[in-house]
Amino acid sequence: MTGELSPIDKAKFVAARRAADFVEDGMKVGLGTGSTAAWLVRCLGEMVREDGLRFRGVPTSTRTAELAREVGIEVISLDEAKWLDLTIDGADEFDAELNLIKGGGGALLQEKIVATASDQMIVIADAAKEVARLGAFPLPVEVIPFGWQTSQALIEELLISMDVMGRNSSLRMNGDAPFVTDEGNHILDLHLGRIGDARQLAMILNQVPGVVENGLFVDICDKVVIGYADGRVETRDINEGTVTEDRLDFVESENLFRDL
């Protein structure tokens, strides 16, 4: 089965497989959203079914919740969990300080709430997600539908004084209609090119009326697990200042790959 995967999917798979080892019996775990996080959910589901792993998952989107239930993971809400031992999620970009851009999948609000309600956040990614400076990936900003054009104009005005390369933004669409998040909001994608001060920009964006949250995750991620197509996995711990490397063998599993 794994021979049919693209190199990038192999990289995502080994990162997810390695990160799944951080989940222990009895934990309450935030489950991210997106293609890499979906690999994690499948891996954890296999561990539940075949190894007897018992933990409770708090999904960051309706589609993650559906997949988690499908593979046999016990799903609870964040209100039920109150606090999490660990959140594992993907990222659209990460830098050397493990600051992130997230929200390409449209779930940034729940992702940020869940990640900040955790003792630890681990990001799983392929090597292409690492950048010297954030900003090449469009920065998602979740806004309420009422007056979204006003919020957009205010955002573009404040960007004039920010250390960014571009100031254009666009309303994310789903076909002919605006994309709608799980909370019923819209997303503006900011095409910045380069972000000079992610911390400052994150704080200022959230002061704009109508902005619910932005996709800059600053000082939230503790570890990043980077997968490579040849099975190599690199784990960086920002708190310990350590980098470890190992290699995972691809394991055939009809259960894990049946949906591909």
Side-chain angles (χ1 to χ4, degrees):
M1 274 300 174
T2 52
E4 301 172 10
L5 297 181
S6 68
I8 194 157
D9 276 333
K10 288 180 180 179
K12 291 177 179 180
F13 166 68
V14 295
R17 175 68 84 183
R18 177 66 185 89
D21 291 337
F22 289 102
V23 178
E24 301 175 359
D25 276 327
M27 278 188 169
K28 291 176 287 187
V29 180
L31 303 174
T33 295
S35 59
T36 312
W39 281 115
L40 170 78
V41 174
R42 292 188 181 97
C43 289
L44 289 173
E46 185 178 54
M47 294 167 69
V48 167
R49 295 188 304 273
E50 299 188 3
D51 303 328
L53 176 67
R54 291 292 175 262
F55 74 99
R56 290 175 290 173
V58 175
T60 55
S61 67
T62 54
R63 60 186 179 275
T64 296
E66 291 169 358
L67 178 60
R69 291 189 181 98
E70 179 185 329
V71 300
I73 295 172
E74 180 184 355
V75 171
I76 60 173
S77 69
L78 183 58
D79 288 335
E80 290 174 291
K82 294 184 172 59
W83 194 260
L84 306 178
D85 299 286
L86 174 66
T87 286
I88 307 176
D89 204 347
D92 299 302
E93 285 185 348
F94 68 91
D95 65 14
E97 297 178 349
L98 303 194
N99 295 317
L100 321 170
I101 286 182
K102 289 181 51 56
L108 67 97
L109 178 57
Q110 288 191 30
E111 289 174 337
K112 188 173 281 191
I113 292 171
V114 169
T116 54
S118 305
D119 287 336
Q120 183 177 196
M121 182 193 189
I122 298 175
V123 159
I124 47 179
D126 59 272
K129 298 298 194 303
E130 183 173 10
V131 295
R133 196 174 283 272
L134 299 177
F137 191 91
L139 174 64
V141 178
E142 187 160 340
V143 297
I144 65 170
F146 177 81
W148 70 265
Q149 290 175 307
T150 298
S151 299
Q152 181 181 34
L154 290 170
I155 289 171
E156 291 184 350
E157 182 178 357
L158 75 82
L159 289 175
I160 295 173
S161 61
M162 295 289 98
D163 183 9
V164 296
M165 286 182 61
R167 298 194 300 271
N168 293 330
S169 64
S170 58
L171 180 68
R172 187 177 298 184
M173 303 296 290
N174 182 16
D176 295 330
F179 176 87
V180 178
T181 69
D182 280 354
E183 291 73 35
N185 298 318
H186 295 332
I187 288 183
L188 297 173
D189 288 309
L190 311 188
H191 306 279
L192 306 178
R194 180 186 60 82
I195 298 171
D197 190 332
R199 182 176 288 102
Q200 179 190 47
L201 181 59
M203 290 189 297
I204 291 177
L205 282 172
N206 281 5
Q207 296 176 14
V208 174
V211 170
V212 181
E213 190 53 84
N214 68 82
L216 285 167
F217 284 51
V218 179
D219 298 330
I220 296 176
C221 178
D222 299 283
K223 291 187 180 76
V224 61
V225 180
I226 306 167
Y228 296 85
D230 62 0
R232 287 181 298 123
V233 181
E234 179 181 315
T235 302
R236 301 181 195 171
D237 188 318
I238 193 70
N239 300 313
E240 299 293 334
T242 58
V243 179
T244 59
E245 295 186 5
D246 54 15
R247 184 183 296 272
L248 299 183
D249 293 326
F250 293 112
V251 178
E252 300 293 345
S253 171
E254 290 296 330
N255 290 330
L256 193 60
F257 295 99
R258 68 183 184 277
D259 297 326
L260 296 180

